[in-house]
Amino acid sequence: MENREPFCNAVCVDFSQCASANLTNVDRTATYVGFEIITQIYISCLSRKYSAGGTCMSMARLDGKTVLITGANTGIGKETALDLAIRGARVIMACRDVEKGEEAAASIRRIYCKANVEVRELDLADTSSIRAFVQRLLREVDHLHILINNAGVMMCPYVKTIDGFEMQLGVNHLGHFLLTYLLIGLLKRSAPARIVVVSSLAHNVGWIRFHDLLSQGSYNSGLAYCQSKLANLLFARELARRLKGSSVTVNSVHPGLVRSDLVRHSTIMSLLFSLFSLFLKSPRDGAQTSIYCAVAEELHSLTGKHFSDCAPASVAPRTARKLWDASSELLGIVWDH
């Protein structure tokens, strides 16, 4: 299966050279990312190699296994929940909007009447909600075999989480960082266990702005999103290093360009996704790599890798320890497990 090429050297782009001087910095970022999308689609069409991407071919069953998926009420999270429920897993759908979560769970049960899916409230933009969620979960479950950090926000206007973090870094990275920290003991006791972190191709465009990690000095929604997706990847890599030998594996994934409402905050991205919707993955197709990393037998001991289209994908070498320390300090935790 043909892998998509990364946004090579994207951080060196001079946005001041954009064709329209009236574009905001946000729209300039979206325009650049959009041009990359158009280029990928165009090349695919010319070569006639476009497809839905990789498909998880594993027939592994998950009977007796417990799975937790964040953001499971829509998109690739919902499709992942459906697939793993069909495999026999008890699937806990952690959602900010419980009503929408229950609708998604009912939809899954209509497709597969034996689905063991449960909805729990989890707001990744609120550390007190994360802690309350974990306290309840630890009372209700004895094991957790698969954690899929899937939920995310994309290119939203500048707003802070309950704890004062920039929303995209707060939800996409810090919320999942704290959630995993609070669940790591349970995962270790349930080993062999797997952690799957949903990142994005956009991590190639990002860099960690340690001088202004929370975008208090300046804010660009596109670059903040890319930073958060890079943070996802770096978190997965560093956590894998720290858990080596524990029988808990950690891998990150790029789901592909998926038709969803995730781009709703960007007019340009919404327009591009609408124009080229025929060439974008469906949520079901986008979920395949997450499913693959969660169940594939051949990955039982593979950790610290990045995947795209159900295959290993290369990433640029970057250090993750500085971000780990900064994240721990922001959350007021000491991760010594």
Side-chain angles (χ1 to χ4, degrees), residues 12 18 45 48-49 67 115 148 169 176 190 217 269 280 303 319:
C12 299
C18 288
C45 290
R48 296 186 179 181
K49 290 183 179 179
V67 178
I148 302 180
L169 189 75
H176 283 121
S190 308
M269 292 294 287
L280 302 179
T303 190
T319 180

Side-chain angles (χ1 to χ4, degrees), residues 11-178:
V11 295
C12 299
V13 171
D14 181 358
F15 290 110
S16 66
Q17 300 302 314
C18 288
S20 173
N22 294 322
L23 289 176
T24 64
N25 286 337
V26 173
D27 285 338
R28 287 170 180 167
T29 306
T31 299
Y32 177 75
V33 176
F35 284 151
E36 289 289 340
I37 293 171
I38 292 172
T39 300
Q40 291 184 43
I41 293 172
Y42 180 66
I43 292 172
S44 296
C45 290
L46 284 180
S47 62
R48 296 186 179 181
K49 290 183 179 179
Y50 174 79
S51 73
T55 300
C56 177
M57 303 304 293
S58 172
M59 302 300 291
R61 296 287 304 173
L62 296 177
D63 302 286
K65 304 293 186 181
T66 301
V67 178
L68 170 61
I69 307 173
T70 65
N73 62 294
T74 188
I76 64 175
K78 178 182 174 182
E79 292 295 336
T80 304
L82 170 60
D83 183 282
L84 301 189
I86 291 174
R87 294 173 187 270
R90 174 189 183 184
V91 179
I92 298 171
M93 304 167 65
C95 310
R96 182 180 60 83
D97 190 322
V98 174
E99 184 177 349
K100 289 183 178 179
E102 292 291 359
E103 291 174 358
S107 174
I108 290 172
R109 294 187 194 104
R110 284 194 295 271
I111 296 171
Y112 181 63
C113 63
K114 296 181 180 179
N116 184 2
V117 289
E118 307 166 21
V119 178
R120 298 289 183 273
E121 182 176 5
L122 172 63
D123 185 353
L124 289 165
D126 182 354
T127 58
S128 63
S129 173
I130 298 170
R131 292 181 180 277
F133 168 83
V134 172
Q135 287 176 0
R136 177 183 177 184
L137 186 72
L138 293 177
R139 291 194 300 268
E140 296 178 343
V141 304
D142 297 322
H143 298 89
L144 180 61
H145 303 94
I146 301 171
L147 169 62
I148 302 180
N149 290 335
N150 167 81
V153 293
M154 179 179 183
M155 297 181 70
C156 59
Y158 182 76
V159 63
K160 294 181 179 180
T161 68
I162 296 297
D163 302 277
F165 307 139
E166 183 274 316
M167 183 62 71
Q168 296 186 86
L169 189 75
V171 170
N172 298 353
H173 169 58
L174 292 172
H176 283 121
F177 190 100
L178 178 61

Side-chain angles (χ1 to χ4, degrees), residues 272-283:
L272 288 170
F273 271 52
S274 177
L275 288 173
F276 296 98
S277 62
L278 291 176
F279 301 100
L280 302 179
K281 289 184 178 183
S282 68

Side-chain angles (χ1 to χ4, degrees), residues 299-330:
L299 302 185
H300 73 279
S301 61
L302 193 65
T303 190
K305 304 299 181 182
H306 184 62
F307 289 82
S308 177
D309 284 338
C310 299
S314 61
V315 294
R318 306 187 194 220
T319 180
R321 296 188 189 185
K322 186 175 180 180
L323 176 64
W324 182 282
D325 293 340
S327 301
S328 297
E329 183 177 350
L330 285 169

